[in-house]
Amino acid sequence: MRRTKALRIALTLQIAGLILELLSLLRLTPATFMLFLGAGAPLIGLGCFIYLFLVIRDMIRKEVL
Amino acid sequence: MILALTSPLVLTSGLVILSLLIAAYLWTGGGELAAGRAGKLLFLAGALVFPLVALLAGASQDMRGAEQTKFCLSCHEMGPFYHSLYVDEDDAIPALHYQNRYVPRDAACYTCHRDYTMFGTLKDKLTGMHHVYVHFLGKIPDPDKIALYKPYPNSNCLQCHGGSRKFDASSDHNSKDAPLADIYSGKISCGTSGCHDSIHMIKDLKDENFWKPKPEEQP
């Protein structure tokens, strides 16, 4: 249950980041540029990090690693 | 039409939309999807590979977009600097370069104001971020008070002019006051030594005549 919740959080962060990225691609202005680099990119990165963390944790638990 | 569809901007936007759709699908499926083997692979693609590739492609696309003249002009305080590119005077260095297409018009600011060093592009992007910060959150100075952080480096001029036959053979560049070696080493500044000092002339713009390009010449 906690794992599902964590995955949902990771995906939510990524969706928010991707929306900001799409905004900057559709209309590039200093504001959208700053929003993407300052908020969108870190959100996507954080989402990927959470997903990777869960995967590696699972692997350690199953003694794959 | 096909060309437009394969442009980097369209492809990157498509990739971002695809990543969004996969992420949204996974979000609705939640943990159940991640149970099976196919679901795990879909999660790997949708929660790691696609977002990361989309992030890199988008950042690269935005970085390229930020080199465009129109991006620099998004900030109204840059208006007089753009206006100065139309000054009808041969001595005005930026205007001369812009009007005669010595620099690409759609990337005029970036061509002259990027540092041509190993980390020049990165340094310029960081400086640009500072400009954006000041534009939104800082105190914007009057256009005539806007100045470079450090003196304009000769290397930016020499990136194009250096090694050119006309430039090296010019008597002005081989005079006692301005020997070629000193110009190349940066000991004598191109812009502030009194030789090419008509730069953007923001204070004098109201007294200048302006070049009126034909409609097809306008960027």
Side-chain angles (χ1 to χ4, degrees), chain B residues 11-107:
Chain B
L11 289 176
T12 311
S13 303
L15 183 66
V16 173
I17 291 171
L18 185 64
S19 306
L20 261 174
L21 290 175
I22 296 175
Y25 176 66
L26 293 174
W27 196 93
T28 52
E32 298 86 59
L33 265 174
R37 191 179 170 81
K40 276 190 177 126
L41 282 175
L42 191 63
F43 251 101
L44 180 71
L48 190 70
V49 180
F50 272 88
L52 277 185
V53 175
L55 173 65
L56 293 176
S60 156
Q61 189 63 36
D62 275 8
M63 287 294 181
R64 246 180 290 154
E67 293 167 7
Q68 299 292 303
T69 306
K70 64 180 178 197
F71 179 82
C72 305
L73 297 175
S74 313
C75 298
H76 61 89
E77 54 271 22
M78 286 295 119
F81 290 88
Y82 180 63
H83 204 42
S84 75
L85 299 177
Y86 286 87
V87 165
D88 194 9
E89 199 179 300
D90 279 349
D91 290 342
I93 299 298
L96 179 79
H97 283 74
Y98 182 81
Q99 292 169 23
N100 292 297
R101 292 189 185 272
Y102 296 156
V103 292
R105 287 187 189 155
D106 57 357

Side-chain angles (χ1 to χ4, degrees), chain B residues 8-210:
Chain B
L9 180 63
V10 174
L11 289 176
T12 311
S13 303
L15 183 66
V16 173
I17 291 171
L18 185 64
S19 306
L20 261 174
L21 290 175
I22 296 175
Y25 176 66
L26 293 174
W27 196 93
T28 52
E32 298 86 59
L33 265 174
R37 191 179 170 81
K40 276 190 177 126
L41 282 175
L42 191 63
F43 251 101
L44 180 71
L48 190 70
V49 180
F50 272 88
L52 277 185
V53 175
L55 173 65
L56 293 176
S60 156
Q61 189 63 36
D62 275 8
M63 287 294 181
R64 246 180 290 154
E67 293 167 7
Q68 299 292 303
T69 306
K70 64 180 178 197
F71 179 82
C72 305
L73 297 175
S74 313
C75 298
H76 61 89
E77 54 271 22
M78 286 295 119
F81 290 88
Y82 180 63
H83 204 42
S84 75
L85 299 177
Y86 286 87
V87 165
D88 194 9
E89 199 179 300
D90 279 349
D91 290 342
I93 299 298
L96 179 79
H97 283 74
Y98 182 81
Q99 292 169 23
N100 292 297
R101 292 189 185 272
Y102 296 156
V103 292
R105 287 187 189 155
D106 57 357
C109 311
Y110 184 73
T111 306
C112 293
H113 287 284
R114 67 175 276 208
D115 278 350
Y116 289 93
T117 54
M118 190 186 234
F119 298 109
T121 307
L122 184 67
K123 269 164 55 188
D124 289 319
K125 294 293 192 275
L126 288 174
T127 310
M129 290 302 283
H130 182 241
H131 291 172
V132 173
Y133 172 81
V134 171
H135 177 75
F136 288 110
L137 302 167
K139 189 177 181 301
I140 301 167
D142 291 334
D144 59 341
K145 299 261 167 46
I146 294 174
L148 297 173
Y149 294 109
K150 57 179 186 169
Y152 193 81
N154 284 4
S155 57
N156 284 14
C157 309
L158 295 170
Q159 166 68 16
C160 297
H161 294 287
S164 111
R165 181 180 170 188
K166 200 175 163 188
F167 181 88
D168 286 356
S170 159
S171 56
D172 290 336
H173 296 154
N174 289 283
S175 64
K176 219 170 109 185
D177 294 335
L180 199 60
D182 287 358
I183 296 171
Y184 273 97
S185 68
K187 210 166 156 187
I188 290 176
S189 164
C190 303
T192 55
S193 58
C195 302
H196 303 288
D197 53 359
S198 292
I199 315 293
H200 284 289
M201 307 184 301
I202 300 302
K203 279 181 192 163
D204 308 321
L205 278 184
K206 57 182 183 304
D207 305 320
E208 293 290 342
N209 293 319
F210 290 92

Side-chain angles (χ1 to χ4, degrees), chain A:
Chain A
M1 197 63 198
R2 276 175 62 196
R3 190 176 183 281
T4 308
K5 209 172 173 184
L7 277 175
R8 277 234 164 95
I9 290 172
L11 287 167
T12 308
L13 293 175
Q14 286 180 348
I15 289 171
L18 286 167
I19 288 172
L20 289 176
E21 179 174 351
L22 193 61
L23 204 69
S24 78
L25 285 170
L26 293 177
R27 188 169 159 72
L28 185 67
T29 66
T32 55
F33 183 72
M34 203 171 176
L35 267 178
F36 169 50
L37 288 187
L43 284 175
I44 296 173
L46 190 59
C48 290
F49 176 78
I50 292 173
Y51 171 74
L52 263 183
F53 174 80
L54 291 172
V55 169
I56 292 170
R57 197 189 60 168
D58 284 356
M59 284 173 141
I60 291 171
R61 279 185 180 171
K62 289 176 186 165
E63 294 181 353
V64 178
L65 283 181

